[in-house]
Amino acid sequence: AAFPGVPRGGLYTIIMAAAAAATDGAEEPGMEAEAQELPLGCGGGGDSPAAGRSPEGEERREPPQASVSNGGDEDSGRELVELKVIWNKNKYDVKFCLDSTGAELKQKIHSLTGLPPAMQKVMFKGLLPEEKTLREIKVTNGAKIMVVGSTINDVLAVNTPKEAAQQEVKAEENKKEPLCRQKQHRKVLDKGKPDDVMPSVKGVQERLPTVPLSGMYNKSGGKVRLTFKLEQDQLWIGTKERTEKLPMGSIKNVVSEPIEGHEDYHMMAFQLGPTEASYYWVYWVPTQYVDAIKDTVLGKWQYF
């Protein structure tokens, strides 16, 4: 039909323009709806404003991740076992990978306690093998792991006073005057050599003679002789008054020291009890017999 005031050719142009405008307006809403719904259905599209939200507009929450105490990121996805590590009256609850080795567990214990692996003794049904895994040695949940050992600081704290005390003892010993200068021995040595002292040979070691060793003094200044009864395993100490027959096994120690100014003779003591007060002193022992006396009494074999 003809439209008043509109040219015939112009009417066609107006109709086509109106149809095109209607088509453009219908496509815009459809595309926008598709863009909003796609990220929700695929779980992607992090850059889209609607990403991570439910169709109702609520924020979507990811499921919580399982937390692992005393474990690392490297343990995620690996089977863990719960342990009770006990060291020095301290207890540690540890979750550790079941396929880790004993050596790796020692490293974990080091991080907990400060105890170096080399100083750890780890016990689980016996000594924990470093090369085997916890699964191989059948460690189960709740297993108790006993750890024995001291930290470096603990060792230093114990040893330092001990070493200092030893050094003090050595210093005191160095300060001590020789035995032959001490008053208790000086009163005997000042008497000089006994008239019947046995001859000495300096720089030579000899076997014990078959006769008693005589010509010596004891602590009271009386004459004394030593007889070694090897077949009876006894030492006889004889004085004018009596003879003491001592089993050699009862003598704890034998000590000796050269006499100052007369180094070819020694003063010697036989320890008969637990303390120095039990020493039986003998003076002017010929030096060539000193080692043989010690070896015979203390049960050492003589090679000369």
Side-chain angles (χ1 to χ4, degrees):
F3 288 86
V6 179
R8 184 177 295 273
L11 179 60
Y12 177 80
T13 301
I14 292 171
I15 293 172
M16 293 302 294
T23 302
D24 292 340
E27 290 177 353
E28 295 270 348
M31 293 177 63
E32 182 179 356
E34 183 179 359
Q36 291 177 356
E37 293 175 2
L38 180 61
L40 296 177
C42 299
D47 294 334
S48 170
R53 295 184 178 273
S54 64
E56 293 79 13
E58 295 180 357
E59 184 178 355
R60 294 170 58 195
R61 295 183 180 180
E62 296 295 331
Q65 299 294 325
S67 60
V68 179
S69 63
N70 294 318
D73 293 336
E74 68 277 6
D75 287 337
S76 58
R78 302 168 68 184
E79 186 175 356
L80 304 177
V81 63
E82 295 182 357
L83 308 174
K84 291 188 180 297
V85 176
I86 302 172
W87 171 73
N88 200 21
K89 298 182 180 180
N90 296 316
K91 295 182 180 180
Y92 303 89
D93 292 327
V94 178
K95 287 185 179 179
F96 202 67
C97 179
L98 195 58
D99 292 310
S100 293
T101 63
E104 292 171 325
L105 179 58
K106 281 191 169 186
Q107 292 292 342
K108 183 63 181 178
I109 293 172
H110 179 208
S111 67
L112 293 172
T113 65
L115 185 62
M119 301 177 71
Q120 296 177 21
K121 183 179 288 186
V122 182
M123 310 294 292
F124 174 74
K125 297 180 180 179
L127 193 63
L128 183 76
E130 293 191 5
E131 69 281 0
K132 292 188 177 181
T133 65
L134 304 190
R135 188 188 299 275
E136 289 175 327
I137 60 175
K138 304 186 186 307
V139 174
T140 57
N141 275 325
K144 291 183 179 180
I145 306 295
M146 306 297 296
V147 181
V148 180
S150 300
T151 64
I152 294 177
N153 290 336
D154 292 337
V155 172
L156 292 176
V158 172
N159 286 348
T160 299
K162 183 178 179 180
E163 291 173 357
Q166 290 175 344
Q167 291 176 356
E168 289 178 3
V169 169
K170 288 182 179 179
E172 288 297 323
E173 289 178 350
N174 293 333
K175 290 179 183 179
K176 285 182 179 179
E177 58 185 350
L179 292 171
C180 60
R181 293 186 189 176
Q182 294 179 13
K183 185 177 180 180
Q184 58 174 328
H185 304 300
R186 193 73 259 168
K187 64 181 182 180
V188 179
L189 295 174
D190 284 345
K191 294 177 64 173
K193 294 179 184 178
D195 296 336
D196 57 347
V197 68
M198 297 181 69
S200 65
V201 183
K202 193 174 181 180
V204 175
Q205 293 182 355
E206 294 185 4
R207 288 176 177 270
L208 291 174
T210 56
V211 298
L213 295 180
S214 58
M216 298 172 292
Y217 290 135
N218 61 16
K219 193 173 181 179
S220 62
K223 289 289 187 68
V224 64
R225 65 182 178 275
L226 302 177
T227 304
F228 297 88
K229 293 289 187 178
L230 302 182
E231 67 280 3
Q232 301 175 29
D233 197 31
Q234 291 181 345
L235 169 62
W236 292 8
I237 301 177
T239 63
K240 185 178 179 180
E241 293 79 17
R242 64 182 181 272
T243 298
E244 296 285 346
K245 298 180 180 181
L246 305 173
M248 291 189 188
S250 68
I251 300 174
K252 311 297 183 184
N253 196 15
V254 182
V255 297
S256 68
E257 181 183 287
I259 298 174
E260 195 172 47
H262 302 276
E263 282 74 14
D264 48 344
Y265 289 93
H266 281 228
M267 49 186 292
M268 178 176 284
F270 300 95
Q271 185 178 352
L272 307 181
T275 65
E276 290 187 9
S278 66
Y279 282 4
Y280 187 97
W281 286 97
V282 178
Y283 305 86
W284 303 103
V285 179
T287 186
Q288 69 268 25
Y289 300 130
V290 168
D291 287 339
I293 293 172
K294 290 181 178 180
D295 291 346
T296 299
V297 172
L298 298 177
K300 295 181 181 178
W301 182 262
Q302 297 182 40
Y303 292 96
F304 52 86

